[in-house]
Amino acid sequence: MPTTQAAPTGKRARPALGEAMPWTRNDALVAVGAAALDLIGFTLTSQDVQGFVPVAGCLLTTVSALALLARRRAPLLTLAAVLTVTLTVLLSWPVGQGLNAAVVVALYSVVRARRVAVFVPAALVCVAMPLVAGAPWSQSLVLKLVGNCAAVLFVVAAGLVMNRWQQEVEAHRRLLAERAVADERRRIAREMHDIVAHHVTTMLLMAGGARANLDRSPEVARDALVTLEGLGRTALHEMRQLLDVLRADDEAPEETTAPQPGIADLERIVAESCAAGLPTEFEVRGEPRPLPTSTGLTVFRVVQEALTNTRKYAGSGAHARVVLTYGDQETRVDVLDDGEGTADGFVSVPSSGYGLIGMRERVALHGGTVEAGRRDGPGYQVTARLPLPEEEGALW
């Protein structure tokens, strides 16, 4: 079994390049974009109001935008830093600029990451920024406050909407994960039912036959017990394969597991049916060709379940026939018998009622159909049709 070696103590593993940076590439793009917008706005307003562009103001504006690099790790501190630098610019060069891009992005980050009790005071501070400059009340100041209030409300609404959308996406992701788990459980339940119903039913019938022939024909009983032992090993092996799926946290087994049964195993299951006392014929029609693994497994399970039901309910003296047909657009399998119904045999096997349901679910996953019912004459028939994949059907 492979072993894992622990890292040497006293040394830290070197972090990856992406983990070493305190910000992401998207954070850097947002910071650069905000800096560009704020510099353009500050340059135009300064030139228009004061007639020149202060270099120190441009540097402070750039520093304010670069603080956004830390907005994911410390959104509240980032907003405080941006507001401090922005207020410094407003007090030093009162050019009448309202909310800039850096303040908008920092406030949006606080709304996304913090509760109402935190982002509401922060939003009020952003609205009141024009009052810090100490300008007298005028129509322009009132309009600036109204504009800031509208901008802040828009930013808060956008943050709340994004939070709601993210929660819905996460809930949908969890729902899909739970549905996938449920589908996997149903698949495992179908596999377990097929394995237990087929092998255990066959083993019970063969055990009963061996017991009936124990005194009259010991050799026949001995052959039946040998076959019974082989069926038991096969059933145990398939069940172990299936249960390995549930061991997600265990280490991978060293031994390679056998592939899932398919079309090539139909002759084996027909031979097992004959050995269990049900004479069964197997016929192939059309030109054989490789099928997808999942399709082959579905055909195998349909035949397995149908023959199991035939042995349980067809009665003594019944015969069965399995017909596999390769068509141009579909693969069809028919399981027919000429039994009259349940007989009072020496073994009574209770039915779970899930066999036909499992067949329909398996075939429906491949877009196929299952028909089951009485034949025109005596007996019962199960027909499953599985369409070929589109690209394969086009080739044929």
Side-chain angles (χ1 to χ4, degrees), residues 44-124:
L44 294 178
T45 54
S46 297
Q47 186 66 37
D48 181 60
V49 175
Q50 297 183 346
F52 68 97
V53 179
V55 178
C58 293
L59 293 177
L60 288 177
T61 301
T62 304
V63 171
S64 174
L66 292 179
L68 296 177
L69 293 173
R71 66 188 183 92
R72 295 185 186 273
R73 296 195 175 189
L76 195 58
L77 291 178
T78 299
L79 178 61
V82 171
L83 287 177
T84 301
V85 177
T86 303
L87 291 176
T88 302
V89 174
L90 289 177
L91 292 174
S92 303
W93 301 278
V95 294
Q97 190 178 10
L99 288 182
N100 55 21
V103 174
V104 170
V105 174
L107 178 60
Y108 174 80
S109 301
V110 172
V111 175
R112 290 294 310 277
R114 294 293 183 264
R115 294 174 295 181
V116 177
V118 176
F119 69 74
V120 168
L124 294 177

Side-chain angles (χ1 to χ4, degrees), residues 155-193:
V155 172
V156 171
L160 294 177
V161 169
M162 286 300 297
N163 284 341
R164 178 65 178 175
W165 176 79
Q166 189 175 21
Q167 292 174 0
E168 292 179 353
V169 169
E170 186 64 27
H172 182 63
R173 187 180 295 112
R174 288 196 299 267
L175 180 62
L176 291 179
E178 293 174 358
R179 186 176 300 173
V181 171
D183 291 341
E184 182 66 13
R185 288 177 177 174
R186 283 194 294 270
R187 186 190 71 81
I188 294 173
R190 287 195 299 267
E191 292 285 344
M192 186 67 73
H193 171 268

Side-chain angles (χ1 to χ4, degrees), residues 76-344:
L76 195 58
L77 291 178
T78 299
L79 178 61
V82 171
L83 287 177
T84 301
V85 177
T86 303
L87 291 176
T88 302
V89 174
L90 289 177
L91 292 174
S92 303
W93 301 278
V95 294
Q97 190 178 10
L99 288 182
N100 55 21
V103 174
V104 170
V105 174
L107 178 60
Y108 174 80
S109 301
V110 172
V111 175
R112 290 294 310 277
R114 294 293 183 264
R115 294 174 295 181
V116 177
V118 176
F119 69 74
V120 168
L124 294 177
V125 172
C126 294
V127 172
M129 281 182 57
L131 300 177
V132 179
W137 283 94
S138 61
Q139 185 178 3
S140 62
L141 181 61
V142 174
L143 291 177
K144 190 177 296 185
L145 286 173
V146 173
N148 280 8
C149 184
V152 168
L153 288 178
F154 178 79
V155 172
V156 171
L160 294 177
V161 169
M162 286 300 297
N163 284 341
R164 178 65 178 175
W165 176 79
Q166 189 175 21
Q167 292 174 0
E168 292 179 353
V169 169
E170 186 64 27
H172 182 63
R173 187 180 295 112
R174 288 196 299 267
L175 180 62
L176 291 179
E178 293 174 358
R179 186 176 300 173
V181 171
D183 291 341
E184 182 66 13
R185 288 177 177 174
R186 283 194 294 270
R187 186 190 71 81
I188 294 173
R190 287 195 299 267
E191 292 285 344
M192 186 67 73
H193 171 268
D194 292 340
I195 292 173
V196 173
H198 169 70
H199 290 294
V200 174
T201 300
T202 304
M203 291 165 64
L204 286 174
L205 294 174
M206 295 191 69
R211 177 176 56 83
N213 290 279
L214 189 60
D215 296 331
R216 295 178 302 177
S217 180
E219 289 299 324
V220 174
R222 180 180 177 278
D223 293 340
L225 291 176
V226 171
T227 305
L228 179 63
E229 182 181 5
L231 286 175
R233 289 198 182 97
T234 302
L236 182 60
H237 178 68
E238 291 188 12
M239 291 179 66
R240 283 177 176 173
Q241 281 187 291
L242 187 60
L243 293 177
D244 283 342
V245 178
L246 303 177
R247 299 173 182 172
D249 297 331
D250 294 345
E251 295 182 357
E254 295 182 1
E255 298 181 359
T256 58
T257 56
Q260 290 280 17
I263 300 295
D265 298 279
L266 291 180
E267 294 184 356
R268 173 178 62 83
I269 200 173
V270 168
E272 292 178 0
S273 179
C274 295
L278 176 65
T280 306
E281 300 177 2
F282 180 50
E283 179 183 355
V284 178
R285 298 177 181 175
E287 184 67 24
R289 59 176 175 272
L291 296 177
T293 304
S294 57
T295 302
L297 175 61
T298 300
V299 172
F300 177 86
R301 293 305 186 195
V302 168
V303 174
Q304 185 182 56
E305 179 64 29
L307 290 179
T308 300
N309 290 336
T310 300
R311 288 195 296 270
K312 292 196 301 188
Y313 305 123
S316 59
H319 297 75
R321 185 159 59 98
V322 177
V323 181
L324 177 64
T325 305
Y326 293 96
D328 294 335
Q329 301 295 330
E330 67 177 12
T331 302
R332 170 174 170 171
V333 62
D334 298 273
V335 182
L336 312 92
D337 68 77
D338 56 2
E340 297 291 344
T342 305
D344 297 330

